[in-house]
Amino acid sequence: MPTLIVTKNGVSLRIVRLREGEFRIGRSMNNHLVLASATISKAHAVLTRQGRFVTLHDFHSTNGTLVNGDDVSVRPLLDRDIIQICNFEMMFLDRDFASAEVIEDPPPEPVAEPVETERAPLEAAIGLDAGGHRIGGSRGARWVGNGVAFALPAQGREIEALITDDALASHFGAYVHAADGASRAVSAYEENHVAINVAAWSRYDATHREPIVVRSSDF
């Protein structure tokens, strides 16, 4: 299970497991990880896990979120990526620790309390979305909320890979933010799977990091 090591000013605070679904980070008590600092937004960021894939979304926070020093709004995470939120740092590890804790879901936020950003609920990993649109493909590709996940066969095993929604939009014209965006994204992968798989192999040859994440800059 993916793990997050949380530190502040170089001092380790806690080690937590990332369960399937959303893991919210912020100052408000209705977050999974509460960071008690006036510089942290009430709803600052969220980590979304679907299988082995974990993506960070910044909630349009006041002071932003960095991954490996880059200011990001959305970023699929890779093993040993460093998330920085003000003076807190979190190392993302794609493996489990025996001593890691599981944080239960926090109580719901009171209706009267405003939040900076609202997020749509997670879609299912396979089948149809709420609008009845296809989110699973004939080649095993599936929409995972921020891109299309697929598998690359490699010497008797499969390597998990993902092409991000921005890469699908910029290079293959898949407008993924429409009501049928998941279906469009899966179709774009199926129609262009050879080029996408080549890009994924090139990325793997360069990094040897699993799962493989293919972004716009990889084409």
Side-chain angles (χ1 to χ4, degrees), residues 173-212:
Y175 182 63
V176 300
H177 300 295
D180 61 345
S183 180
R184 293 187 188 204
V186 171
S187 295
Y189 170 79
E190 293 181 324
E191 293 168 5
N192 302 279
H193 72 278
V194 174
I196 293 170
N197 286 9
V198 168
W201 274 121
S202 177
R203 185 66 180 161
Y204 182 71
D205 286 341
T207 65
H208 295 286
R209 300 179 74 180
E210 300 180 38
I212 305 166

PDB file of all heavy atoms in Angstrom, residues 173-212:
ATOM      1  N   GLY A 173      -6.142  15.067 -29.049  1.00  0.00           N
ATOM      2  CA  GLY A 173      -7.406  15.769 -29.211  1.00  0.00           C
ATOM      3  C   GLY A 173      -8.557  15.224 -28.395  1.00  0.00           C
ATOM      4  O   GLY A 173      -9.718  15.407 -28.773  1.00  0.00           O
ATOM      5  N   ALA A 174      -8.250  14.547 -27.286  1.00  0.00           N
ATOM      6  CA  ALA A 174      -9.319  13.992 -26.450  1.00  0.00           C
ATOM      7  C   ALA A 174      -9.740  15.024 -25.412  1.00  0.00           C
ATOM      8  O   ALA A 174      -9.002  15.293 -24.463  1.00  0.00           O
ATOM      9  CB  ALA A 174      -8.846  12.715 -25.759  1.00  0.00           C
ATOM     10  N   TYR A 175     -10.918  15.630 -25.595  1.00  0.00           N
ATOM     11  CA  TYR A 175     -11.399  16.627 -24.644  1.00  0.00           C
ATOM     12  C   TYR A 175     -12.000  15.889 -23.451  1.00  0.00           C
ATOM     13  O   TYR A 175     -13.151  15.470 -23.462  1.00  0.00           O
ATOM     14  CB  TYR A 175     -12.434  17.535 -25.297  1.00  0.00           C
ATOM     15  CG  TYR A 175     -12.943  18.621 -24.380  1.00  0.00           C
ATOM     16  CD1 TYR A 175     -12.075  19.599 -23.886  1.00  0.00           C
ATOM     17  CD2 TYR A 175     -14.277  18.668 -23.989  1.00  0.00           C
ATOM     18  CE1 TYR A 175     -12.519  20.591 -23.041  1.00  0.00           C
ATOM     19  CE2 TYR A 175     -14.734  19.654 -23.138  1.00  0.00           C
ATOM     20  CZ  TYR A 175     -13.865  20.619 -22.665  1.00  0.00           C
ATOM     21  OH  TYR A 175     -14.311  21.594 -21.811  1.00  0.00           O
ATOM     22  N   VAL A 176     -11.177  15.715 -22.413  1.00  0.00           N
ATOM     23  CA  VAL A 176     -11.551  14.830 -21.308  1.00  0.00           C
ATOM     24  C   VAL A 176     -12.403  15.511 -20.246  1.00  0.00           C
ATOM     25  O   VAL A 176     -12.863  14.854 -19.318  1.00  0.00           O
ATOM     26  CB  VAL A 176     -10.291  14.229 -20.650  1.00  0.00           C
ATOM     27  CG1 VAL A 176      -9.500  13.425 -21.661  1.00  0.00           C
ATOM     28  CG2 VAL A 176      -9.419  15.314 -20.043  1.00  0.00           C
ATOM     29  N   HIS A 177     -12.615  16.822 -20.370  1.00  0.00           N
ATOM     30  CA  HIS A 177     -13.369  17.516 -19.334  1.00  0.00           C
ATOM     31  C   HIS A 177     -14.842  17.687 -19.701  1.00  0.00           C
ATOM     32  O   HIS A 177     -15.563  18.448 -19.063  1.00  0.00           O
ATOM     33  CB  HIS A 177     -12.731  18.871 -19.039  1.00  0.00           C
ATOM     34  CG  HIS A 177     -11.317  18.745 -18.553  1.00  0.00           C
ATOM     35  ND1 HIS A 177     -11.003  18.137 -17.362  1.00  0.00           N
ATOM     36  CD2 HIS A 177     -10.136  19.103 -19.115  1.00  0.00           C
ATOM     37  CE1 HIS A 177      -9.693  18.137 -17.195  1.00  0.00           C
ATOM     38  NE2 HIS A 177      -9.141  18.722 -18.247  1.00  0.00           N
ATOM     39  N   ALA A 178     -15.287  16.969 -20.720  1.00  0.00           N
ATOM     40  CA  ALA A 178     -16.701  16.958 -21.080  1.00  0.00           C
ATOM     41  C   ALA A 178     -17.411  15.878 -20.268  1.00  0.00           C
ATOM     42  O   ALA A 178     -16.786  15.091 -19.550  1.00  0.00           O
ATOM     43  CB  ALA A 178     -16.848  16.688 -22.576  1.00  0.00           C
ATOM     44  N   ALA A 179     -18.748  15.831 -20.402  1.00  0.00           N
ATOM     45  CA  ALA A 179     -19.524  14.839 -19.657  1.00  0.00           C
ATOM     46  C   ALA A 179     -19.117  13.421 -20.025  1.00  0.00           C
ATOM     47  O   ALA A 179     -19.143  12.513 -19.192  1.00  0.00           O
ATOM     48  CB  ALA A 179     -21.018  15.052 -19.922  1.00  0.00           C
ATOM     49  N   ASP A 180     -18.730  13.203 -21.297  1.00  0.00           N
ATOM     50  CA  ASP A 180     -18.302  11.878 -21.737  1.00  0.00           C
ATOM     51  C   ASP A 180     -16.779  11.801 -21.849  1.00  0.00           C
ATOM     52  O   ASP A 180     -16.241  11.033 -22.639  1.00  0.00           O
ATOM     53  CB  ASP A 180     -18.948  11.530 -23.076  1.00  0.00           C
ATOM     54  CG  ASP A 180     -18.565  12.518 -24.188  1.00  0.00           C
ATOM     55  OD1 ASP A 180     -18.044  13.599 -23.849  1.00  0.00           O
ATOM     56  OD2 ASP A 180     -18.802  12.202 -25.366  1.00  0.00           O
ATOM     57  N   GLY A 181     -16.090  12.610 -21.039  1.00  0.00           N
ATOM     58  CA  GLY A 181     -14.632  12.693 -21.128  1.00  0.00           C
ATOM     59  C   GLY A 181     -13.932  11.373 -20.895  1.00  0.00           C
ATOM     60  O   GLY A 181     -12.938  11.067 -21.560  1.00  0.00           O
ATOM     61  N   ALA A 182     -14.416  10.565 -19.954  1.00  0.00           N
ATOM     62  CA  ALA A 182     -13.778   9.280 -19.680  1.00  0.00           C
ATOM     63  C   ALA A 182     -13.818   8.379 -20.906  1.00  0.00           C
ATOM     64  O   ALA A 182     -12.823   7.738 -21.264  1.00  0.00           O
ATOM     65  CB  ALA A 182     -14.456   8.609 -18.487  1.00  0.00           C
ATOM     66  N   SER A 183     -14.974   8.333 -21.556  1.00  0.00           N
ATOM     67  CA  SER A 183     -15.115   7.514 -22.759  1.00  0.00           C
ATOM     68  C   SER A 183     -14.220   8.025 -23.875  1.00  0.00           C
ATOM     69  O   SER A 183     -13.577   7.246 -24.586  1.00  0.00           O
ATOM     70  CB  SER A 183     -16.573   7.517 -23.216  1.00  0.00           C
ATOM     71  OG  SER A 183     -16.736   6.741 -24.382  1.00  0.00           O
ATOM     72  N   ARG A 184     -14.144   9.356 -24.044  1.00  0.00           N
ATOM     73  CA  ARG A 184     -13.273   9.929 -25.068  1.00  0.00           C
ATOM     74  C   ARG A 184     -11.808   9.573 -24.801  1.00  0.00           C
ATOM     75  O   ARG A 184     -11.053   9.286 -25.723  1.00  0.00           O
ATOM     76  CB  ARG A 184     -13.426  11.450 -25.090  1.00  0.00           C
ATOM     77  CG  ARG A 184     -14.772  11.952 -25.548  1.00  0.00           C
ATOM     78  CD  ARG A 184     -14.732  13.462 -25.695  1.00  0.00           C
ATOM     79  NE  ARG A 184     -16.046  14.020 -25.947  1.00  0.00           N
ATOM     80  CZ  ARG A 184     -16.247  15.181 -26.553  1.00  0.00           C
ATOM     81  NH1 ARG A 184     -15.222  15.894 -26.960  1.00  0.00           N
ATOM     82  NH2 ARG A 184     -17.471  15.634 -26.752  1.00  0.00           N
ATOM     83  N   ALA A 185     -11.417   9.638 -23.545  1.00  0.00           N
ATOM     84  CA  ALA A 185     -10.026   9.360 -23.194  1.00  0.00           C
ATOM     85  C   ALA A 185      -9.662   7.919 -23.498  1.00  0.00           C
ATOM     86  O   ALA A 185      -8.601   7.643 -24.073  1.00  0.00           O
ATOM     87  CB  ALA A 185      -9.799   9.670 -21.711  1.00  0.00           C
ATOM     88  N   VAL A 186     -10.531   6.971 -23.113  1.00  0.00           N
ATOM     89  CA  VAL A 186     -10.260   5.561 -23.378  1.00  0.00           C
ATOM     90  C   VAL A 186     -10.214   5.310 -24.888  1.00  0.00           C
ATOM     91  O   VAL A 186      -9.344   4.587 -25.389  1.00  0.00           O
ATOM     92  CB  VAL A 186     -11.313   4.671 -22.693  1.00  0.00           C
ATOM     93  CG1 VAL A 186     -11.172   3.222 -23.145  1.00  0.00           C
ATOM     94  CG2 VAL A 186     -11.177   4.763 -21.176  1.00  0.00           C
ATOM     95  N   SER A 187     -11.138   5.920 -25.629  1.00  0.00           N
ATOM     96  CA  SER A 187     -11.145   5.758 -27.083  1.00  0.00           C
ATOM     97  C   SER A 187      -9.866   6.323 -27.702  1.00  0.00           C
ATOM     98  O   SER A 187      -9.299   5.726 -28.629  1.00  0.00           O
ATOM     99  CB  SER A 187     -12.373   6.454 -27.687  1.00  0.00           C
ATOM    100  OG  SER A 187     -13.563   5.828 -27.265  1.00  0.00           O
ATOM    101  N   ALA A 188      -9.400   7.473 -27.199  1.00  0.00           N
ATOM    102  CA  ALA A 188      -8.167   8.073 -27.717  1.00  0.00           C
ATOM    103  C   ALA A 188      -6.979   7.147 -27.477  1.00  0.00           C
ATOM    104  O   ALA A 188      -6.101   7.014 -28.346  1.00  0.00           O
ATOM    105  CB  ALA A 188      -7.931   9.427 -27.060  1.00  0.00           C
ATOM    106  N   TYR A 189      -6.935   6.491 -26.310  1.00  0.00           N
ATOM    107  CA  TYR A 189      -5.855   5.539 -26.069  1.00  0.00           C
ATOM    108  C   TYR A 189      -5.939   4.380 -27.058  1.00  0.00           C
ATOM    109  O   TYR A 189      -4.924   3.986 -27.665  1.00  0.00           O
ATOM    110  CB  TYR A 189      -5.894   4.990 -24.645  1.00  0.00           C
ATOM    111  CG  TYR A 189      -4.932   3.830 -24.489  1.00  0.00           C
ATOM    112  CD1 TYR A 189      -3.574   4.052 -24.325  1.00  0.00           C
ATOM    113  CD2 TYR A 189      -5.379   2.513 -24.603  1.00  0.00           C
ATOM    114  CE1 TYR A 189      -2.679   2.990 -24.254  1.00  0.00           C
ATOM    115  CE2 TYR A 189      -4.498   1.449 -24.536  1.00  0.00           C
ATOM    116  CZ  TYR A 189      -3.149   1.689 -24.365  1.00  0.00           C
ATOM    117  OH  TYR A 189      -2.268   0.648 -24.313  1.00  0.00           O
ATOM    118  N   GLU A 190      -7.129   3.810 -27.233  1.00  0.00           N
ATOM    119  CA  GLU A 190      -7.262   2.655 -28.108  1.00  0.00           C
ATOM    120  C   GLU A 190      -6.884   2.987 -29.549  1.00  0.00           C
ATOM    121  O   GLU A 190      -6.266   2.180 -30.242  1.00  0.00           O
ATOM    122  CB  GLU A 190      -8.693   2.114 -28.035  1.00  0.00           C
ATOM    123  CG  GLU A 190      -9.024   1.512 -26.675  1.00  0.00           C
ATOM    124  CD  GLU A 190     -10.421   0.956 -26.612  1.00  0.00           C
ATOM    125  OE1 GLU A 190     -11.316   1.562 -27.229  1.00  0.00           O
ATOM    126  OE2 GLU A 190     -10.617  -0.070 -25.964  1.00  0.00           O
ATOM    127  N   GLU A 191      -7.249   4.186 -30.000  1.00  0.00           N
ATOM    128  CA  GLU A 191      -6.958   4.587 -31.377  1.00  0.00           C
ATOM    129  C   GLU A 191      -5.472   4.894 -31.583  1.00  0.00           C
ATOM    130  O   GLU A 191      -4.972   4.811 -32.714  1.00  0.00           O
ATOM    131  CB  GLU A 191      -7.798   5.809 -31.742  1.00  0.00           C
ATOM    132  CG  GLU A 191      -9.291   5.521 -31.820  1.00  0.00           C
ATOM    133  CD  GLU A 191     -10.122   6.781 -31.884  1.00  0.00           C
ATOM    134  OE1 GLU A 191      -9.531   7.888 -31.969  1.00  0.00           O
ATOM    135  OE2 GLU A 191     -11.365   6.665 -31.856  1.00  0.00           O
ATOM    136  N   ASN A 192      -4.780   5.253 -30.498  1.00  0.00           N
ATOM    137  CA  ASN A 192      -3.377   5.672 -30.606  1.00  0.00           C
ATOM    138  C   ASN A 192      -2.463   4.848 -29.706  1.00  0.00           C
ATOM    139  O   ASN A 192      -1.397   5.315 -29.313  1.00  0.00           O
ATOM    140  CB  ASN A 192      -3.257   7.158 -30.249  1.00  0.00           C
ATOM    141  CG  ASN A 192      -4.111   8.044 -31.129  1.00  0.00           C
ATOM    142  OD1 ASN A 192      -3.730   8.382 -32.244  1.00  0.00           O
ATOM    143  ND2 ASN A 192      -5.283   8.438 -30.621  1.00  0.00           N
ATOM    144  N   HIS A 193      -2.871   3.616 -29.419  1.00  0.00           N
ATOM    145  CA  HIS A 193      -2.145   2.851 -28.401  1.00  0.00           C
ATOM    146  C   HIS A 193      -0.711   2.535 -28.812  1.00  0.00           C
ATOM    147  O   HIS A 193       0.168   2.432 -27.959  1.00  0.00           O
ATOM    148  CB  HIS A 193      -2.902   1.564 -28.061  1.00  0.00           C
ATOM    149  CG  HIS A 193      -2.870   0.522 -29.139  1.00  0.00           C
ATOM    150  ND1 HIS A 193      -3.722   0.549 -30.221  1.00  0.00           N
ATOM    151  CD2 HIS A 193      -2.073  -0.570 -29.314  1.00  0.00           C
ATOM    152  CE1 HIS A 193      -3.477  -0.481 -30.997  1.00  0.00           C
ATOM    153  NE2 HIS A 193      -2.478  -1.173 -30.475  1.00  0.00           N
ATOM    154  N   VAL A 194      -0.442   2.407 -30.094  1.00  0.00           N
ATOM    155  CA  VAL A 194       0.928   2.100 -30.510  1.00  0.00           C
ATOM    156  C   VAL A 194       1.868   3.255 -30.153  1.00  0.00           C
ATOM    157  O   VAL A 194       2.914   3.057 -29.520  1.00  0.00           O
ATOM    158  CB  VAL A 194       0.981   1.807 -32.025  1.00  0.00           C
ATOM    159  CG1 VAL A 194       2.443   1.635 -32.467  1.00  0.00           C
ATOM    160  CG2 VAL A 194       0.187   0.552 -32.359  1.00  0.00           C
ATOM    161  N   ALA A 195       1.486   4.479 -30.528  1.00  0.00           N
ATOM    162  CA  ALA A 195       2.316   5.648 -30.220  1.00  0.00           C
ATOM    163  C   ALA A 195       2.444   5.853 -28.715  1.00  0.00           C
ATOM    164  O   ALA A 195       3.525   6.191 -28.201  1.00  0.00           O
ATOM    165  CB  ALA A 195       1.725   6.895 -30.871  1.00  0.00           C
ATOM    166  N   ILE A 196       1.349   5.634 -27.992  1.00  0.00           N
ATOM    167  CA  ILE A 196       1.370   5.836 -26.546  1.00  0.00           C
ATOM    168  C   ILE A 196       2.238   4.775 -25.870  1.00  0.00           C
ATOM    169  O   ILE A 196       3.013   5.080 -24.947  1.00  0.00           O
ATOM    170  CB  ILE A 196      -0.072   5.829 -25.982  1.00  0.00           C
ATOM    171  CG1 ILE A 196      -0.831   7.050 -26.504  1.00  0.00           C
ATOM    172  CG2 ILE A 196      -0.060   5.811 -24.455  1.00  0.00           C
ATOM    173  CD1 ILE A 196      -2.323   7.021 -26.218  1.00  0.00           C
ATOM    174  N   ASN A 197       2.141   3.535 -26.324  1.00  0.00           N
ATOM    175  CA  ASN A 197       2.974   2.479 -25.745  1.00  0.00           C
ATOM    176  C   ASN A 197       4.460   2.726 -26.020  1.00  0.00           C
ATOM    177  O   ASN A 197       5.312   2.474 -25.164  1.00  0.00           O
ATOM    178  CB  ASN A 197       2.563   1.115 -26.301  1.00  0.00           C
ATOM    179  CG  ASN A 197       1.256   0.618 -25.721  1.00  0.00           C
ATOM    180  OD1 ASN A 197       0.567   1.358 -25.020  1.00  0.00           O
ATOM    181  ND2 ASN A 197       0.888  -0.596 -26.036  1.00  0.00           N
ATOM    182  N   VAL A 198       4.774   3.233 -27.216  1.00  0.00           N
ATOM    183  CA  VAL A 198       6.171   3.561 -27.527  1.00  0.00           C
ATOM    184  C   VAL A 198       6.681   4.643 -26.575  1.00  0.00           C
ATOM    185  O   VAL A 198       7.796   4.565 -26.048  1.00  0.00           O
ATOM    186  CB  VAL A 198       6.306   4.014 -28.993  1.00  0.00           C
ATOM    187  CG1 VAL A 198       7.683   4.641 -29.242  1.00  0.00           C
ATOM    188  CG2 VAL A 198       6.083   2.844 -29.934  1.00  0.00           C
ATOM    189  N   ALA A 199       5.844   5.670 -26.335  1.00  0.00           N
ATOM    190  CA  ALA A 199       6.230   6.731 -25.407  1.00  0.00           C
ATOM    191  C   ALA A 199       6.416   6.179 -23.993  1.00  0.00           C
ATOM    192  O   ALA A 199       7.330   6.582 -23.265  1.00  0.00           O
ATOM    193  CB  ALA A 199       5.186   7.840 -25.410  1.00  0.00           C
ATOM    194  N   ALA A 200       5.549   5.236 -23.609  1.00  0.00           N
ATOM    195  CA  ALA A 200       5.659   4.640 -22.279  1.00  0.00           C
ATOM    196  C   ALA A 200       6.945   3.829 -22.146  1.00  0.00           C
ATOM    197  O   ALA A 200       7.644   3.906 -21.127  1.00  0.00           O
ATOM    198  CB  ALA A 200       4.440   3.763 -21.998  1.00  0.00           C
ATOM    199  N   TRP A 201       7.289   3.040 -23.182  1.00  0.00           N
ATOM    200  CA  TRP A 201       8.534   2.268 -23.140  1.00  0.00           C
ATOM    201  C   TRP A 201       9.740   3.188 -23.081  1.00  0.00           C
ATOM    202  O   TRP A 201      10.713   2.918 -22.358  1.00  0.00           O
ATOM    203  CB  TRP A 201       8.624   1.348 -24.360  1.00  0.00           C
ATOM    204  CG  TRP A 201       7.942   0.038 -24.177  1.00  0.00           C
ATOM    205  CD1 TRP A 201       6.933  -0.469 -24.924  1.00  0.00           C
ATOM    206  CD2 TRP A 201       8.203  -0.931 -23.163  1.00  0.00           C
ATOM    207  NE1 TRP A 201       6.533  -1.694 -24.440  1.00  0.00           N
ATOM    208  CE2 TRP A 201       7.308  -1.997 -23.362  1.00  0.00           C
ATOM    209  CE3 TRP A 201       9.101  -1.003 -22.104  1.00  0.00           C
ATOM    210  CZ2 TRP A 201       7.294  -3.124 -22.544  1.00  0.00           C
ATOM    211  CZ3 TRP A 201       9.075  -2.116 -21.278  1.00  0.00           C
ATOM    212  CH2 TRP A 201       8.181  -3.168 -21.507  1.00  0.00           C
ATOM    213  N   SER A 202       9.691   4.280 -23.849  1.00  0.00           N
ATOM    214  CA  SER A 202      10.800   5.232 -23.827  1.00  0.00           C
ATOM    215  C   SER A 202      10.970   5.831 -22.438  1.00  0.00           C
ATOM    216  O   SER A 202      12.096   5.991 -21.946  1.00  0.00           O
ATOM    217  CB  SER A 202      10.546   6.335 -24.858  1.00  0.00           C
ATOM    218  OG  SER A 202      11.567   7.310 -24.811  1.00  0.00           O
ATOM    219  N   ARG A 203       9.836   6.148 -21.796  1.00  0.00           N
ATOM    220  CA  ARG A 203       9.881   6.690 -20.444  1.00  0.00           C
ATOM    221  C   ARG A 203      10.461   5.673 -19.462  1.00  0.00           C
ATOM    222  O   ARG A 203      11.266   6.016 -18.588  1.00  0.00           O
ATOM    223  CB  ARG A 203       8.462   7.104 -20.018  1.00  0.00           C
ATOM    224  CG  ARG A 203       8.372   7.793 -18.681  1.00  0.00           C
ATOM    225  CD  ARG A 203       9.056   9.133 -18.724  1.00  0.00           C
ATOM    226  NE  ARG A 203       8.978   9.804 -17.433  1.00  0.00           N
ATOM    227  CZ  ARG A 203       9.775  10.799 -17.078  1.00  0.00           C
ATOM    228  NH1 ARG A 203      10.692  11.248 -17.912  1.00  0.00           N
ATOM    229  NH2 ARG A 203       9.655  11.362 -15.898  1.00  0.00           N
ATOM    230  N   TYR A 204      10.067   4.420 -19.622  1.00  0.00           N
ATOM    231  CA  TYR A 204      10.569   3.378 -18.720  1.00  0.00           C
ATOM    232  C   TYR A 204      12.067   3.157 -18.921  1.00  0.00           C
ATOM    233  O   TYR A 204      12.816   2.989 -17.951  1.00  0.00           O
ATOM    234  CB  TYR A 204       9.802   2.080 -18.954  1.00  0.00           C
ATOM    235  CG  TYR A 204      10.229   0.963 -18.034  1.00  0.00           C
ATOM    236  CD1 TYR A 204       9.910   1.001 -16.680  1.00  0.00           C
ATOM    237  CD2 TYR A 204      10.964  -0.113 -18.504  1.00  0.00           C
ATOM    238  CE1 TYR A 204      10.303  -0.012 -15.821  1.00  0.00           C
ATOM    239  CE2 TYR A 204      11.359  -1.132 -17.667  1.00  0.00           C
ATOM    240  CZ  TYR A 204      11.030  -1.074 -16.317  1.00  0.00           C
ATOM    241  OH  TYR A 204      11.431  -2.079 -15.474  1.00  0.00           O
ATOM    242  N   ASP A 205      12.516   3.151 -20.183  1.00  0.00           N
ATOM    243  CA  ASP A 205      13.947   2.981 -20.460  1.00  0.00           C
ATOM    244  C   ASP A 205      14.772   4.095 -19.823  1.00  0.00           C
ATOM    245  O   ASP A 205      15.904   3.877 -19.382  1.00  0.00           O
ATOM    246  CB  ASP A 205      14.194   2.977 -21.972  1.00  0.00           C
ATOM    247  CG  ASP A 205      13.741   1.674 -22.619  1.00  0.00           C
ATOM    248  OD1 ASP A 205      13.592   0.683 -21.896  1.00  0.00           O
ATOM    249  OD2 ASP A 205      13.535   1.670 -23.847  1.00  0.00           O
ATOM    250  N   ALA A 206      14.189   5.306 -19.759  1.00  0.00           N
ATOM    251  CA  ALA A 206      14.922   6.451 -19.215  1.00  0.00           C
ATOM    252  C   ALA A 206      14.947   6.475 -17.693  1.00  0.00           C
ATOM    253  O   ALA A 206      15.890   6.979 -17.084  1.00  0.00           O
ATOM    254  CB  ALA A 206      14.317   7.755 -19.738  1.00  0.00           C
ATOM    255  N   THR A 207      13.896   5.923 -17.062  1.00  0.00           N
ATOM    256  CA  THR A 207      13.756   6.078 -15.609  1.00  0.00           C
ATOM    257  C   THR A 207      13.754   4.763 -14.841  1.00  0.00           C
ATOM    258  O   THR A 207      14.115   4.746 -13.667  1.00  0.00           O
ATOM    259  CB  THR A 207      12.456   6.818 -15.275  1.00  0.00           C
ATOM    260  OG1 THR A 207      11.333   6.017 -15.674  1.00  0.00           O
ATOM    261  CG2 THR A 207      12.392   8.169 -15.992  1.00  0.00           C
ATOM    262  N   HIS A 208      13.279   3.681 -15.473  1.00  0.00           N
ATOM    263  CA  HIS A 208      13.091   2.383 -14.791  1.00  0.00           C
ATOM    264  C   HIS A 208      12.231   2.532 -13.536  1.00  0.00           C
ATOM    265  O   HIS A 208      12.441   1.834 -12.538  1.00  0.00           O
ATOM    266  CB  HIS A 208      14.439   1.738 -14.450  1.00  0.00           C
ATOM    267  CG  HIS A 208      15.227   1.374 -15.662  1.00  0.00           C
ATOM    268  ND1 HIS A 208      14.928   0.307 -16.464  1.00  0.00           N
ATOM    269  CD2 HIS A 208      16.303   1.986 -16.234  1.00  0.00           C
ATOM    270  CE1 HIS A 208      15.785   0.237 -17.468  1.00  0.00           C
ATOM    271  NE2 HIS A 208      16.625   1.247 -17.363  1.00  0.00           N
ATOM    272  N   ARG A 209      11.254   3.431 -13.605  1.00  0.00           N
ATOM    273  CA  ARG A 209      10.350   3.637 -12.475  1.00  0.00           C
ATOM    274  C   ARG A 209       8.972   3.107 -12.819  1.00  0.00           C
ATOM    275  O   ARG A 209       8.461   3.315 -13.923  1.00  0.00           O
ATOM    276  CB  ARG A 209      10.261   5.130 -12.117  1.00  0.00           C
ATOM    277  CG  ARG A 209      11.600   5.730 -11.718  1.00  0.00           C
ATOM    278  CD  ARG A 209      11.487   7.207 -11.402  1.00  0.00           C
ATOM    279  NE  ARG A 209      10.834   7.448 -10.126  1.00  0.00           N
ATOM    280  CZ  ARG A 209      10.610   8.659  -9.630  1.00  0.00           C
ATOM    281  NH1 ARG A 209      10.973   9.736 -10.315  1.00  0.00           N
ATOM    282  NH2 ARG A 209      10.034   8.816  -8.459  1.00  0.00           N
ATOM    283  N   GLU A 210       8.393   2.366 -11.873  1.00  0.00           N
ATOM    284  CA  GLU A 210       7.050   1.829 -12.034  1.00  0.00           C
ATOM    285  C   GLU A 210       6.137   2.378 -10.929  1.00  0.00           C
ATOM    286  O   GLU A 210       6.583   2.551  -9.796  1.00  0.00           O
ATOM    287  CB  GLU A 210       7.076   0.293 -11.945  1.00  0.00           C
ATOM    288  CG  GLU A 210       7.936  -0.370 -13.008  1.00  0.00           C
ATOM    289  CD  GLU A 210       7.926  -1.890 -12.881  1.00  0.00           C
ATOM    290  OE1 GLU A 210       6.856  -2.457 -12.555  1.00  0.00           O
ATOM    291  OE2 GLU A 210       8.982  -2.491 -13.084  1.00  0.00           O
ATOM    292  N   PRO A 211       4.862   2.618 -11.269  1.00  0.00           N
ATOM    293  CA  PRO A 211       4.245   2.554 -12.588  1.00  0.00           C
ATOM    294  C   PRO A 211       4.761   3.664 -13.497  1.00  0.00           C
ATOM    295  O   PRO A 211       5.292   4.678 -13.026  1.00  0.00           O
ATOM    296  CB  PRO A 211       2.756   2.732 -12.288  1.00  0.00           C
ATOM    297  CG  PRO A 211       2.721   3.534 -11.022  1.00  0.00           C
ATOM    298  CD  PRO A 211       3.897   3.071 -10.223  1.00  0.00           C
ATOM    299  N   ILE A 212       4.635   3.491 -14.784  1.00  0.00           N
ATOM    300  CA  ILE A 212       5.076   4.463 -15.770  1.00  0.00           C
ATOM    301  C   ILE A 212       4.015   5.557 -15.884  1.00  0.00           C
ATOM    302  O   ILE A 212       2.824   5.252 -15.978  1.00  0.00           O
ATOM    303  CB  ILE A 212       5.286   3.804 -17.139  1.00  0.00           C
ATOM    304  CG1 ILE A 212       6.265   2.621 -17.027  1.00  0.00           C
ATOM    305  CG2 ILE A 212       5.773   4.815 -18.164  1.00  0.00           C
ATOM    306  CD1 ILE A 212       6.255   1.718 -18.246  1.00  0.00           C
TER     307      ILE A 212
END
